[in-house]
Amino acid sequence: MYGGSKAFFYALSRSAALKRLASKYGMATPDSFARRFIAGETIEEAIRDARLLQERGVLLTLDYLGESVSTAEEATEATREYVRLIDVIVASGIERNISLKLTQLGVDVDRATCVDNMRRILDPAARHGFFVRIDMENSPYTDVTLEVFETLWQQEYRNIGVALQAALRRTGQDVQRLIALGARVRLVKGAYKEPPTVAFQHKAEVDEAFRSLMRLLLDRGTYPAIATHDEPLIDDTRAFATDRNLARDRFEFQMLYGIRRDIQATLVGDGYRLRIYLPFGRQWFPYFMRRLGERPANLGFVLRAVVKER
Ligand code: FDA
C-alpha cells in the first residue's frame, strides 16, 4: 500500500536510539548519508550550497529544520534562529525566500504564541523583501495552519504563502479558498501517513487529485508552485501551461534538495522557473526519515554509507 513505507519510517523516526545512531554518522563527514538531502547543520553550510545552486540557475527556499516543539522557550529559540537566518541571507546576497513549520514556532504551545512568533519573522522578512512559505504538516494541523495563515493575511501580511497536500480529501476546498484570497499556494502530494477517512491511500488517486488541483491553480491561482519530482506530473504541468499559453513567469516548479537532479537540470535548461527547497540544521532526523519513507530504496545508500564510515 502507498502509505505503508511512510508509516514504517514514521515509526522509526520516533526511535531515540536510531536518532542517536543517525546523528553520529549522518553528518559526520562531507560524504555522510544525510548530506544527500540536507545541506548541513549550520547556516554557513546552507549558504555555501545555496550559492552553488544559484550558479546552476535555480531559485531557492531555505528551511531551518525543526518541528514538534513543546515549550514556548523552544519556539522562541527557533523564531530567533529564523530572524538570524534573515540577517545572514541578506548579508550573503543569496535569494530571499524561506520555509518554516508552525509546530516549530509553538502552535502546540498555543496559537497566539505561534502567531506572535510568525509576526516576529514576517516583519523583518517584509522589510528585506523575503517571501515566507508555511509548510503543511500532518492532518491534525491542517485547520490550525490555515487559520494562522488567514489571521496573518487579514493582518495585511502579503509576503506569505502556504503548502497544500493533494493527498487530503479536503484540499479541493482549501485550494478554492486560497485562490479566492489571492494567496500563493505550493501544491505537494503530502509526506505524511494519513488515515483513509482523511486522505487518498493509493498513488493513482493522489496523482489524479494533484493533476486536477494543478490545473485549477494554473488557471485561477496566484503564482502557484507545483512541487513534485514525479516526471509524468511535471510533463502534464508543462503541457497544460503550454496549452493555456501561460507565460513561464506565472508559476514555478519546486523540488527538494538532492532529489531528481536530472529533471531539475532539464527544467532549468528548458527555461522554467525551478525553486529548490534547501533544508539545514541540527534537527534533520524527522525530515530525513520522511525522505526515506517516500522511497525505501534510499535505505540502500544509507546502509552502504554507514558500512563505509565505520
Ligand atoms: P512520488 O512520491 O510519487 O515520487 C515520484 C518520483 O520522484 C519517484 O519515482 C522518485 O523518482 C522521485 N522521488 C520522490 N521522493 C523521493 C525521495 N525521497 N528520494 C529519491 N527520489 C524520490 N510535503 C508535505 O506534506 N508538506 C510540505 O509542506 C511539503 N513541502 C514540500 C516542498 C517541496 C519543494 C517539495 C518538492 C515537496 C514537499 N513536500 C511536502 C513533500 C511531498 O509531499 C512529497 O512527499 C514528496 O515530494 C514526494 O512526492 P513526489 O511528488 O515527488 O511524488
Side-chain angles (χ1 to χ4, degrees):
M1 198 180 69
Y2 192 46
S5 61
K6 284 185 182 174
F8 177 67
F9 283 97
Y10 175 75
L12 287 185
S13 78
R14 318 287 289 178
S15 154
L18 195 62
K19 185 174 176 184
R20 271 197 307 279
L21 195 68
S23 302
K24 184 164 171 203
Y25 293 109
M27 286 280 178
T29 74
D31 297 328
S32 295
F33 57 82
R35 289 184 189 269
R36 166 155 174 207
F37 299 125
I38 294 138
E41 293 194 337
T42 65
I43 292 182
E44 290 68 30
E45 287 172 301
I47 300 283
R48 184 206 54 208
D49 276 12
R51 285 192 211 286
L52 294 174
L53 286 167
Q54 280 197 170
E55 281 167 19
R56 284 170 30 204
V58 301
L59 307 165
L60 297 165
T61 184
L62 261 68
D63 174 53
Y64 169 57
L65 289 164
E67 55 197 89
S68 310
V69 311
S70 53
T71 66
E73 290 69 36
E74 288 172 288
T76 305
E77 188 48 39
T79 305
R80 269 202 220 105
E81 276 302 306
Y82 264 105
V83 172
R84 187 165 96 82
L85 175 62
I86 288 170
D87 288 341
V88 176
I89 290 179
V90 169
S92 75
I94 63 156
E95 212 201 333
R96 302 178 180 198
N97 192 308
I98 53 180
S99 291
L100 45 74
K101 289 185 173 51
L102 295 189
T103 64
Q104 186 179 16
L105 300 179
V107 81
D108 281 331
V109 179
D110 74 87
R111 186 177 310 186
T113 302
C114 180
V115 171
D116 282 351
N117 286 337
M118 277 299 292
R119 291 163 53 115
R120 279 192 199 111
I121 294 168
L122 288 174
D123 287 332
R127 265 198 311 280
H128 294 295
F130 275 73
F131 183 76
V132 179
R133 178 80 63 180
I134 304 178
D135 289 344
M136 186 56 79
E137 298 177 71
N138 49 340
S139 62
Y141 294 101
T142 315
D143 274 331
V144 74
T145 302
L146 292 175
E147 281 159 21
V148 168
F149 177 79
E150 289 193 31
T151 301
L152 294 164
W153 190 265
Q154 278 156 15
Q155 293 173 3
E156 305 295 327
Y157 288 99
R158 290 294 177 270
N159 57 328
I160 47 172
V162 66
L164 290 179
Q165 299 153 331
L168 298 196
R169 297 179 190 277
R170 60 177 283 168
T171 296
Q173 284 170 350
D174 293 333
V175 164
Q176 296 281 6
R177 205 178 157 90
L178 290 172
I179 286 176
L181 286 181
R184 282 164 60 170
V185 171
R186 171 204 290 154
L187 180 64
V188 302
K189 286 194 189 178
Y192 300 86
K193 168 72 183 147
E194 301 285 358
T197 44
V198 168
F200 303 116
Q201 301 293 305
H202 300 287
K203 178 173 160 56
E205 295 174 298
V206 176
D207 289 358
E208 196 42 50
F210 191 101
R211 196 172 285 111
S212 88
L213 294 167
M214 170 275 284
R215 291 182 181 158
L216 187 61
L217 283 165
L218 288 192
D219 267 342
R220 297 187 27 229
T222 303
Y223 194 68
I226 307 303
T228 181
H229 318 92
D230 192 328
E231 215 163 356
L233 288 177
I234 290 171
D235 290 345
D236 284 354
T237 306
R238 293 177 59 147
F240 188 75
T242 306
D243 185 54
R244 289 292 201 265
N245 227 351
L246 208 63
R248 293 198 177 168
D249 59 2
R250 294 276 308 282
F251 68 102
E252 65 183 36
F253 288 105
Q254 293 192 355
M255 294 197 192
L256 301 176
Y257 177 73
I259 299 185
R260 292 306 304 257
R261 290 178 216 163
D262 53 339
I263 308 182
Q264 296 178 12
T266 305
L267 286 173
V268 173
D270 291 347
Y272 288 95
R273 289 189 174 189
L274 170 68
R275 187 175 305 281
I276 300 297
Y277 183 103
L278 184 61
F280 73 95
R282 295 188 59 228
Q283 303 298 324
W284 51 264
F285 187 63
Y287 176 90
F288 178 75
M289 293 304 274
R290 282 195 291 279
R291 303 296 75 84
L292 293 190
E294 285 155 1
R295 192 165 175 272
N298 287 338
L299 198 56
F301 87 79
V302 174
L303 294 175
R304 280 194 297 279
V306 172
V307 168
K308 226 168 78 188
E309 273 177 39
R310 281 173 76 107

